[in-house]
């Protein structure tokens, strides 16, 4: 509270200087300070992209004020006031977040992102990555699923690691099986994955896809699983991308999934929207946020009555910080 009051006090001083030295008009000071305060309020009620966009506008307004001041006042006074204003305006929200003293028990689970990275390569969805983490007792592995050109199901993000192929120029099933990822690693087919999940009974798969029609993909996966007597409904956690996507899965009698996570990278709902759509849905167990999105939630002290998962982290210090603040799941590419 003190830092924010100091922040606004410095803004007021600068605006008064603008009034005294430049504009000589009360309305300029009034409108400018109201604009900055309104942006400060609005940015906490929207999604994280708008938060940082509005924060950037605030900084731009402050820079504009500083430029005006630079035209009229002595350099030393300008330097002292403007520098303090810049520092406080930039670090005050971060400082307030860091000053929160509540530290929760360091209990969380890792989610292995895109099958697990190897040799500093991410988004591989490779057999080698899966085996590396599965054999090391990691229980949550996220896999990206796509169709091949001939409508078979394999694990890939956008086919970016398959030389000669991409999302718009897909391989056939046989081409996928016979082409090494980055000339070094073997790709995961859905049939291969089912066999390995029978060997590793404790692993849960977090479903993700870049296919536009995730429902059709899931239906085909369910059909294959039934043919192989594999219980996909209890072993797969389905990431849903919108309220509509969730309802389509829930209302389709083909599906009997027990666990859902909402991931906010496609719809980019505000926190209020997420709570409105999923707050009362008991089977939507976890809200998945990007680290920037989580940081805004933490700064604003917004609470979900859900588990929180954060992606994607590459530093053990960041992992420890997130865990100490109550994050339940942390996505990683490599072992930290």
């Amino acid at each position: 509270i003190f830092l924010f009051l100091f922040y606004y006090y410095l803004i007021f001083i600068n605006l008064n200087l603008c009034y005294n030295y430049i504009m000589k008009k009360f309305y300029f000071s009034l409108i400018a300070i109201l604009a900055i305060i309104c942006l400060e309020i609005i940015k906490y009620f929207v999604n994280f992209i708008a938060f940082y966009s509005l924060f950037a506008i605030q900084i731009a307004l402050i820079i504009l004020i500083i430029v005006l001041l630079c035209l009229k006042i002595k350099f030393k006074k300008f330097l002292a006031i403007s520098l303090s204003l810049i520092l406080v305006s930039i670090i005050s929200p971060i400082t307030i977040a860091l000053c929160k003293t509540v530290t929760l028990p360091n209990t969380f689970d890792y989610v292995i992102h895109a099958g697990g990275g190897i040799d500093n390569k991410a988004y591989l969805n490779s057999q080698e990555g899966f085996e590396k983490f599965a054999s090391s007792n990691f229980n949550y592995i996220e896999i990206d699923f796509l169709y091949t050109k001939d409508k078979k199901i394999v694990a890939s993000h956008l086919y970016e690691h398959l030389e000669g192929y991409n999302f718009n120029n897909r391989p056939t099933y046989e081409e996928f099986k016979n082409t090494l990822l980055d000339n070094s690693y073997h790709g995961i087919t859905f049939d291969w994955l089912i066999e390995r999940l029978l060997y590793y009974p404790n692993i849960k798969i977090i479903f993700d896809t870049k296919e536009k029609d995730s429902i059709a993909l899931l239906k085909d996966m369910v059909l294959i699983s039934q043919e192989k007597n594999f219980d996909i409904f209890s072993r797969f956690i389905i990431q849903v991308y919108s309220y509509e996507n969730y309802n389509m899965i829930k209302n389709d009698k083909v599906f009997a999934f027990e666990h859902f996570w909402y991931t906010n990278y496609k719809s980019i709902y505000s926190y209020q929207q997420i709570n409105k759509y999923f707050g009362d849905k008991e089977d939507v167990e976890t809200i998945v946020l990007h680290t920037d999105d989580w940081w805004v939630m933490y700064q604003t002290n917004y609470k979900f009555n859900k588990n929180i998962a954060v992606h994607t982290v590459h530093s053990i210090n960041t992992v420890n910080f997130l865990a100490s603040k109550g994050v339940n799941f942390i996505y990683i590419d490599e072992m930290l």
Side-chain angles (χ1 to χ4, degrees):
I1 293 173
F2 170 77
L3 285 171
F4 269 114
L5 289 175
F6 185 51
Y7 170 38
Y8 290 124
Y9 175 67
L10 287 173
I11 293 173
F12 180 73
I13 289 175
N14 279 267
L15 290 169
N16 265 338
L17 287 169
C18 289
Y19 165 67
N20 291 327
Y21 291 107
I22 303 168
M23 302 303 292
K24 300 287 187 182
K25 292 181 180 179
F26 171 76
Y27 290 110
F28 172 80
S29 296
L30 180 63
I31 292 171
I33 198 168
L34 285 176
I36 293 172
I37 293 174
C38 284
L39 290 174
E40 185 72 34
I41 294 171
I42 291 171
K43 72 184 184 185
Y44 292 111
F45 292 92
V46 289
N47 59 56
F48 75 101
I49 293 176
F51 178 96
Y52 287 111
S53 298
L54 292 172
F55 189 72
I57 293 173
Q58 285 180 289
I59 299 300
L61 284 174
I62 293 169
I63 292 172
L64 174 62
I65 293 170
I66 292 172
V67 170
L68 292 174
L69 290 171
C70 188
L71 297 174
K72 290 293 182 179
I73 67 175
K74 294 180 180 179
F75 178 76
K76 288 184 179 179
K77 182 184 289 186
F78 158 71
L79 182 62
I81 296 175
S82 62
L83 184 59
S84 61
L85 176 58
I86 290 172
L87 289 175
V88 173
S89 65
I90 291 175
I91 70 172
S92 63
I94 299 173
T95 306
I96 287 174
L98 291 174
C99 284
K100 293 181 180 179
T101 56
V102 176
T103 299
L104 300 174
N106 194 348
T107 56
F108 68 96
D109 282 303
Y110 284 114
V111 175
I112 307 309
H113 183 227
I118 300 178
D119 302 326
N120 296 317
K121 296 178 180 179
Y123 293 99
L124 278 171
N125 292 285
S126 69
Q127 294 180 19
E128 289 82 359
F130 180 93
E131 289 292 344
K132 171 184 172 182
F133 287 94
S135 61
S136 300
N137 298 318
F138 289 90
N139 293 325
Y140 296 89
I141 300 180
E142 187 226 32
I143 300 285
D144 300 292
F145 295 96
L146 290 177
Y147 282 121
T148 59
K149 188 175 183 179
D150 48 352
K151 286 293 181 178
K152 302 293 185 179
I153 300 172
V154 297
S156 185
H157 182 244
L158 292 168
Y159 291 118
E160 64 268 53
H161 292 285
L162 210 60
E163 186 175 353
Y165 302 99
N166 55 50
F167 187 69
N168 296 315
N169 177 34
R170 304 180 185 217
T172 65
Y173 187 69
E174 289 301 317
E175 288 169 338
F176 179 84
K177 289 202 301 181
N178 296 324
T179 306
L180 294 177
L181 305 172
D182 286 345
N183 300 312
S184 301
Y185 313 105
H186 296 84
I188 294 173
T189 66
F190 189 51
D191 291 341
W192 181 90
L193 180 63
I194 289 176
E195 292 179 4
R196 301 315 293 155
L197 290 176
L198 293 174
Y199 182 79
Y200 295 108
N202 294 325
I203 288 178
K204 300 279 189 183
I205 296 297
I206 315 296
F207 168 87
D208 197 8
T209 183
K210 298 302 179 288
E211 297 286 2
K212 290 183 179 179
D213 190 351
S214 64
I215 306 298
L217 180 63
L218 281 172
K219 284 184 176 181
D220 288 340
M221 294 171 76
V222 168
L223 182 61
I224 296 169
S225 298
Q226 290 171 342
E227 292 173 352
K228 293 180 174 293
N229 294 316
F230 172 70
D231 184 12
I232 189 175
F233 296 125
S234 64
R235 299 294 301 278
F236 271 52
I237 297 171
I238 306 304
Q239 288 190 115
V240 293
Y241 310 105
S242 68
Y243 183 60
E244 292 74 19
N245 182 228
Y246 168 77
N247 281 330
M248 288 176 69
I249 297 173
K250 289 293 292 182
N251 294 331
D252 197 315
K253 294 181 180 180
V254 171
F255 300 125
F257 290 107
E258 302 172 9
H259 309 282
F260 294 89
W261 291 8
Y262 169 70
T263 183
N264 200 35
Y265 75 83
K266 289 187 179 180
S267 296
I268 315 182
Y269 291 145
S270 69
Y271 305 130
Q272 290 76 14
Q273 287 175 309
I274 295 173
N275 215 20
K276 174 184 175 182
Y277 295 144
F278 303 110
D280 61 347
K281 305 295 188 295
E282 292 185 3
D283 54 1
V284 181
E285 301 165 340
T286 300
I287 306 300
V288 184
L289 303 171
H290 186 269
T291 48
D292 290 341
D293 204 349
W294 172 84
W295 181 246
V296 176
M297 185 196 79
Y298 178 65
Q299 286 188 101
T300 58
N301 206 33
Y302 197 89
K303 304 292 184 184
F304 291 111
N305 188 28
K306 304 284 183 182
N307 291 328
I308 298 296
V310 174
H311 66 89
T312 301
V313 178
H314 305 103
S315 161
I316 191 62
N317 290 330
T318 305
V319 166
N320 290 335
F321 176 74
L322 291 169
S324 73
K325 303 307 178 186
V327 171
N328 308 99
F329 297 95
I330 299 172
Y331 285 63
I332 58 171
D333 288 313
E334 292 274 7
M335 292 183 184
L336 302 176

